[in-house]
Amino acid sequence: MSSEDQYQNFLDLFGEDDNTTDTSYVLSDRVVLCPKQDVNQFGARFIPVFYYANFLLSYLGNGLVLFIIFKFEKLSTVTNIFLLNLVLSNLLFASSLPFWAMYHSSDWIFGLVLCKMVSSAYFIGFYSSILFLTLMTFDRYLAVVHAVAAAKSRKKAYAIIASVAVWCTSIVASVKELVLQNVRKSPYDGLICEESGYPESTMEHWSLVSYYQQFLLFFLLPLFMVMYCYISITVRILSTRMKEKCRSIKLIFVIIFTFFACWTPYNIVILLRAIQISSSSKDCSDAKTLDYALYVTRNIAYLYCCISPMFYTFVGKKFQSHFRRLMSKRIPCLKRHMSLSSQSTRTTSQRTPHSAYEY
């Protein structure tokens, strides 16, 4: 008896056939694998430098604003309460950037707990920063366009309640990161901190929720509110006899343009990624293109979190005065210039009544 006949008799004895494949587990569709080593290498070169720069700029700029608020301002005013919360949200967001910079340089070396905590802090700070910018814009709109009614409603309690609402919204929007973020080992990239541990369909569903949440709640809604509020403020300023109305309008244009320029590219990429996940066809080249675009546009959007406090502080005459006073104490040669500038300011303030529209 041949060896083939002996093997067949062995299979017949145990009631088995040599074709043991269960056809119910055979995939008829072609599984497309998209290697992204080149994308990851690009991120490893580009992201850490930008994240470290963002971290330093954010802590220098926001830290200086925080110092000026505590040294020269009263924390009981509505504007300063919102500004303080905006600075804290920017600092919370920036505190996560060194972790992500090191992660992009090698792999995730900080463990599961920090993976969840850093991811949550990253998104809580990111979301709250956007909402506080929108809230400050709306508050400025009330103070300028509805000055009489706002004088009664713009109290400390209103600012505290609105700030708590912003923080709660940001925390709820970031709960997903605390639950889904896990650390796993990749054969190509080492330890990875990302959303994992659930079926692919579940992960795609939550990715879509994140993308549409980001685009609708944290981009379109703030963008429409910012544009409406500042257009209304511009119309109100033009109807007054302010001597510096041109300066105010230019500042409004800069704020709207910067907001739009920083946030629009990133959110368009977010929307395109959501559409790609929803579509049945998966194209590797399109996925890689969106990954490259996400790296670049996301960092432009993050840069706005570093420079946003400057629009609400140093462009205002009051904060400019505080900054000059602070610098004059550190640089003695500025004292004489400061005294001349303060005399000019006092003369101007005597001639021109205080206006709520000044920035």
Side-chain angles (χ1 to χ4, degrees), residues 262-330:
C262 289
W263 286 106
T264 302
Y266 171 59
N267 283 278
I268 288 177
V269 173
I270 288 292
L271 182 61
L272 291 176
R273 291 197 74 170
I275 294 173
Q276 184 190 50
I277 292 175
S278 303
S279 65
S280 56
S281 61
K282 310 288 185 181
D283 192 310
C284 280
S285 61
D286 291 343
K288 286 186 177 181
T289 301
L290 286 179
D291 286 338
Y292 282 117
L294 185 66
Y295 275 137
V296 176
T297 58
R298 183 173 58 189
N299 286 310
I300 295 173
Y302 292 170
L303 185 62
Y304 189 82
C305 294
C306 302
I307 63 176
S308 59
M310 306 303 175
F311 291 133
Y312 295 89
T313 53
F314 298 114
V315 293
K317 290 183 178 180
K318 185 167 59 174
F319 271 86
Q320 287 178 1
S321 175
H322 293 332
F323 181 71
R324 285 195 295 265
R325 287 172 59 190
L326 185 64
M327 289 297 99
S328 67
K329 293 180 180 179
R330 302 291 184 272

Side-chain angles (χ1 to χ4, degrees), residues 17-272:
D17 189 18
D18 57 347
N19 185 13
T20 57
T21 303
D22 189 346
T23 57
S24 64
Y25 290 97
V26 176
L27 297 176
S28 58
D29 295 333
R30 186 175 54 142
V31 178
V32 179
L33 299 178
C34 295
K36 296 187 177 181
Q37 280 78 14
D38 50 347
V39 178
N40 293 335
Q41 289 174 2
F42 171 79
R45 293 192 302 267
F46 177 72
I47 298 297
V49 175
F50 210 98
Y51 276 12
Y52 283 128
N54 260 354
F55 171 77
L56 292 175
L57 286 174
S58 184
Y59 264 77
L60 286 174
N62 288 280
L64 182 59
V65 173
L66 193 64
F67 180 78
I68 289 177
I69 290 175
F70 277 102
K71 187 172 181 62
F72 300 110
E73 289 289 312
K74 294 180 180 179
L75 292 177
S76 58
T77 65
V78 171
T79 301
N80 286 340
I81 290 174
F82 287 153
L83 184 59
L84 175 64
N85 280 277
L86 173 63
V87 168
L88 293 178
S89 65
N90 288 340
L91 293 176
L92 177 64
F93 166 75
S95 66
S96 68
L97 295 182
F99 292 94
W100 296 123
M102 293 186 65
Y103 175 42
H104 281 283
S105 298
S106 55
D107 59 356
W108 187 261
I109 61 174
F110 304 106
L112 177 61
V113 175
L114 274 179
C115 173
K116 292 180 177 290
M117 291 181 62
V118 170
S119 299
S120 299
Y122 174 85
F123 281 99
I124 291 172
F126 183 52
Y127 292 152
S128 60
S129 176
I130 300 169
L131 294 181
F132 275 117
L133 284 169
T134 308
L135 185 59
M136 290 184 67
T137 303
F138 179 71
D139 180 68
R140 180 166 288 178
Y141 160 80
L142 291 179
V144 174
V145 180
H146 304 285
V148 177
K152 300 178 181 179
S153 59
R154 291 178 71 248
K155 304 296 183 182
K156 185 177 179 179
Y158 145 76
I160 293 175
I161 293 172
S163 299
V164 170
V166 167
W167 284 113
C168 290
T169 303
S170 303
I171 291 171
V172 170
S174 306
V175 166
K176 177 182 70 71
E177 309 303 324
L178 188 63
V179 176
L180 297 182
Q181 288 289 119
N182 285 296
V183 177
R184 67 178 182 86
K185 189 171 182 62
S186 167
Y188 300 104
D189 303 313
L191 295 174
I192 297 177
C193 172
E194 66 177 13
E195 296 178 0
S196 59
Y198 293 87
E200 184 179 357
S201 59
T202 302
M203 302 307 300
E204 286 190 353
H205 169 76
W206 283 110
S207 294
L208 287 174
V209 169
S210 296
Y211 289 148
Y212 284 119
Q213 170 185 276
Q214 163 68 37
F215 185 78
L216 296 174
L217 182 60
F218 296 103
F219 173 64
L220 274 189
L221 180 60
L223 179 62
F224 286 145
M225 286 194 65
V226 166
M227 291 184 67
Y228 172 78
C229 290
Y230 278 120
I231 289 173
S232 300
I233 291 173
T234 302
V235 173
R236 185 76 176 99
I237 289 175
L238 289 174
S239 65
T240 66
R241 297 182 177 180
M242 286 179 57
K243 292 184 177 180
E244 296 189 355
K245 65 171 64 176
C246 290
R247 177 180 180 273
S248 300
I249 293 172
K250 287 179 182 178
L251 174 60
I252 290 172
F253 174 78
V254 169
I255 291 175
I256 294 178
F257 176 80
T258 308
F259 186 95
F260 187 80
C262 289
W263 286 106
T264 302
Y266 171 59
N267 283 278
I268 288 177
V269 173
I270 288 292
L271 182 61
L272 291 176

